[in-house]
């Protein structure tokens, strides 16, 4: 007997049943709010015993705040960004200052696929440096695995900049046959792009504007499926846990090297740092009645240099509202050509002061970029009352009123930058 064809109504009901069944099967695998919160809960107890002073209630609350910072940042990374429809979103800033972010930099990230064809365009601006870094691995863009090699750095000043400041460059595995303009190679394994806009003079240097578009996909972005959304939500606590492990490992390495009240060179050129940049890092441990004096030569030629402080969670200390950072423009050199910086909880009334912001423990970070030499600073601990005795006699005095005005000017300049 030949089967009778289904009536329209029966076919409709049959198709509807399969749709409902498929939806039900998918729904059963999707997380509930309670399940997601349950997966998030263990993060709060991780890392407290690794603090320099685990019994310090302020330090424990700062760690909890930092863990929420990571979860918040993870939403950008795991729900917003898309390698088929990328966008340069703010990676590090005053809200997300982790991984010892440089106060002189405005950072942006976009994820990519190594088979894609992307157009990057915009306006150069006047910042001292604009660097495009192509990175690999899943840790930085998605909080999975571990740090992976940097694949390339592209200085924006190597492309054609129009009289109006505009530029356009294609990023792809191979140069498109019909493309005659600037081209950057997208290496196999690429997963993300970082943009750094680096300024010495925050108020007067103008940040650029950048756009990225993938050319080999349809223009309209499809809606994420429930499964895709769920996958990102489930990764949120893993992102936070993995960055917590990064924090612990990083600071432990500095302590294990004996870099307490010392700094030493650190090569990050293959794992996130600019290729021509040498880092200096160490931990500070200073009581309220003590101070550290960092002393160093300054290279004869140097495209950029700076020093700043971070906490033991790797968050750069509040550079918008406190005096926690100095660079080649804002720092004062002494008559002998050397740089001397006082690191202390109280204002010593000298130009080169880095404020520990009511902390005893934290991180010292320095950067030399494209310099003729890479000096090794020396750090000396002194009593706070003896700071002046350890500085040149002609070191100027900074009054409380002058410091107040400087911080207000710094806050205005920081807010005038392109951050969001």
């Amino acid at each position: 007997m030949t089967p009778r064809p289904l009536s329209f109504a029966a076919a409709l009901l049959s198709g509807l049943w399969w749709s409902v069944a498929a939806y039900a099967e998918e729904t059963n695998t999707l997380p509930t709010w309670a399940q997601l919160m349950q997966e998030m809960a263990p993060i709060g107890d991780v890392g407290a015993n690794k603090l320099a002073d685990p019994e310090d209630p302020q330090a424990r609350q700062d760690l909890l705040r930092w863990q929420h910072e990571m979860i918040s940042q993870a939403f950008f990374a795991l729900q917003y960004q898309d390698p088929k429809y990328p966008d340069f979103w703010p990676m590090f800033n005053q809200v997300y200052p982790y991984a010892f972010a440089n106060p002189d930099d405005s950072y942006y990230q976009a994820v990519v696929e190594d088979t894609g064809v992307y157009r990057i365009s915009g306006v150069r601006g006047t910042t001292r440096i604009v660097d495009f870094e192509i990175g690999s691995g899943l840790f930085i863009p998605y909080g999975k695995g571990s740090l992976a090699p940097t694949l390339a750095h592209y200085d924006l000043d190597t492309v054609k900049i129009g009289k109006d400041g505009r530029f356009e460059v294609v990023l792809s595995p191979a140069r498109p046959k019909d493309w005659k303009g600037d081209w950057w190679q997208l290496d196999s394994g690429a997963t993300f792009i970082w943009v750094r806009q680096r300024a010495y003079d925050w108020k007067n240097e103008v940040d650029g504007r950048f756009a990225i578009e993938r050319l080999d996909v349809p223009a309209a972005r499809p809606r994420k499926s429930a499964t895709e959304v769920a996958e990102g939500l489930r990764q949120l606590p893993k992102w936070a846990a993995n960055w917590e492990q990064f924090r612990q490992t990083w600071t432990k390495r500095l302590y294990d090297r004996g870099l307490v009240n010392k700094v030493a060179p650190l090569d990050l050129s293959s794992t996130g740092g600019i290729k021509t940049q040498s880092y200096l890092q160490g931990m500070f441990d200073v009581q309220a009645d003590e101070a550290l004096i960092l002393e160093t030569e300054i290279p004869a030629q140097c495209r950029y240099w700076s020093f700043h402080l971070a906490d033991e969670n790797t968050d750069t200390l509040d550079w918008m509202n406190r005096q926690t950072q100095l660079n080649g423009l804002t720092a004062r050199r002494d008559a002998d050509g050397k740089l001397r910086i006082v690191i202390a909880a109280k204002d010593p009334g000298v130009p080169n002061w880095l404020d520990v912001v009511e902390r005893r423990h934290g991180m010292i970070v320095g950067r030399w970029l494209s310099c003729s030499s890479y000096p090794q600073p020396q750090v000396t601990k002194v009593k706070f009352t003896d700071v002046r005795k350890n500085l040149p006699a002609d070191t100027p005095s900074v009054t409380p009123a002058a410091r107040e005005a400087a911080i207000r000017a710094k806050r205005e300049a920081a807010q005038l930058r392109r951050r969001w």
Side-chain angles (χ1 to χ4, degrees):
M1 178 182 292
T2 303
R4 294 177 61 188
L6 290 173
S7 68
F8 174 79
L12 181 63
L13 288 172
S14 175
L16 181 61
W17 183 87
W18 282 110
S19 297
V20 171
Y23 175 78
E25 182 178 356
E26 180 184 47
T27 302
N28 288 336
T29 66
L30 299 177
T32 64
W33 175 269
Q35 289 169 337
L36 289 172
M37 293 303 100
Q38 187 176 10
E39 293 175 12
M40 201 82 75
I43 298 172
D45 297 324
V46 174
N49 62 341
K50 301 295 184 181
L51 294 169
D53 183 0
E55 302 305 317
D56 180 354
Q58 177 75 57
R60 294 178 73 94
Q61 290 302 303
D62 282 345
L63 177 60
L64 289 174
R65 182 205 56 76
W66 183 83
Q67 289 164 339
H68 280 80
E69 176 188 328
M70 291 297 97
I71 293 168
S72 171
Q73 175 75 306
F75 182 85
F76 275 103
L78 301 171
Q79 292 295 332
Y80 179 67
Q81 64 180 3
D82 184 336
K84 289 183 171 59
Y85 298 89
D87 181 15
F88 288 120
W89 58 274
M91 181 71 178
F92 303 114
N93 47 52
Q94 286 89 340
V95 178
Y96 304 114
Y98 64 103
F100 41 90
N102 187 351
D104 288 328
D105 288 358
S106 290
Y107 297 86
Y108 300 91
Q109 177 173 293
V111 288
V112 296
E113 291 175 331
D114 60 4
T115 57
V117 178
Y118 298 89
R119 178 173 57 207
I120 300 172
S121 59
V123 180
R124 165 62 173 85
T126 65
T127 55
R128 193 173 188 84
I129 297 163
V130 181
D131 178 82
F132 285 78
E133 174 181 328
I134 312 299
S136 66
L138 299 179
F139 178 71
I140 287 177
Y142 301 111
K144 300 177 181 180
S146 56
L147 283 172
T150 299
L151 301 177
H153 281 276
Y154 295 111
D155 190 318
L156 189 55
D157 290 335
T158 62
V159 307
K160 181 180 179 181
I161 308 293
K163 292 182 179 180
D164 58 358
R166 294 188 175 277
F167 71 94
E168 186 176 43
V169 59
V170 168
L171 176 71
S172 60
R175 177 190 284 273
K177 292 181 180 179
D178 59 347
W179 179 250
K180 305 301 182 184
D182 286 299
W183 172 73
W184 291 337
Q185 183 169 358
L186 183 61
D187 291 316
S188 176
T191 56
F192 69 93
I193 305 172
W194 270 356
V195 184
R196 291 175 173 88
Q197 294 197 82
R198 179 166 295 179
Y200 263 162
D201 185 342
W202 301 352
K203 185 172 183 178
N204 294 307
E205 293 179 40
V206 179
D207 289 285
R209 296 181 292 141
F210 310 118
I212 181 170
E213 179 185 9
R214 185 163 178 177
L215 302 178
D216 58 333
V217 299
R221 178 182 179 179
R223 180 183 181 183
K224 282 187 176 182
S225 69
T227 301
E228 290 172 323
V229 173
E231 181 182 357
L233 292 174
R234 285 195 171 109
Q235 182 61 22
L236 287 171
K238 297 173 186 176
W239 166 290
N242 285 340
W243 276 101
E244 167 65 27
Q245 185 61 47
F246 168 88
R247 179 196 71 81
Q248 290 183 32
T249 301
W250 204 273
T251 54
K252 183 178 184 299
R253 178 166 58 175
L254 296 177
Y255 280 122
D256 288 348
R257 291 178 62 188
L259 295 178
V260 178
N261 296 335
K262 301 176 183 177
V263 294
L266 188 63
D267 181 8
L268 302 180
S269 59
S270 62
T271 53
I274 298 177
K275 185 177 181 180
T276 58
Q277 182 165 269
S278 176
Y279 288 80
L280 296 160
Q281 287 194 358
M283 304 300 293
F284 68 78
D285 183 340
V286 59
Q287 300 275 13
D289 63 346
E290 297 173 329
L292 302 178
I293 298 178
L294 182 148
E295 179 178 320
T296 184
E297 301 282 351
I298 298 296
Q301 288 86 37
C302 199
R303 190 177 183 192
Y304 169 87
W305 60 264
S306 69
F307 289 89
H308 74 261
L309 302 181
D311 66 17
E312 58 182 321
N313 298 321
T314 75
D315 270 5
T316 296
L317 299 186
D318 185 357
W319 65 82
M320 193 165 79
N321 304 293
R322 303 291 283 261
Q323 180 63 40
T324 64
Q325 176 266 359
L326 293 164
N327 63 32
L329 176 68
T330 59
R332 176 189 180 274
R333 302 188 201 188
D334 291 321
D336 60 3
K338 290 185 178 182
L339 174 73
R340 294 175 178 87
I341 296 174
V342 179
I343 301 170
K346 294 180 285 187
D347 188 346
V350 299
N352 297 337
W353 169 48
L354 292 182
D355 183 357
V356 300
V357 191
E358 292 89 49
R359 287 169 171 80
R360 175 179 172 182
H361 306 283
M363 185 182 295
I364 306 170
V365 184
R367 291 171 173 84
W368 305 118
L369 175 65
S370 301
C371 300
S372 56
S373 63
Y374 296 89
Q376 172 60 54
Q378 301 299 312
V379 180
T380 305
K381 180 184 281 190
V382 300
K383 285 293 185 182
F384 183 80
T385 53
D386 293 336
V387 165
R388 282 279 179 181
K389 297 177 184 178
N390 289 272
L391 297 176
D394 62 349
T395 300
S397 294
V398 177
T399 66
R403 187 76 73 193
E404 177 87 359
I407 292 174
R408 291 186 183 280
K410 176 188 284 280
R411 179 160 52 235
E412 178 194 25
Q415 292 183 63
L416 289 174
R417 295 204 65 185
R418 180 175 181 264
R419 299 172 293 155
W420 314 117

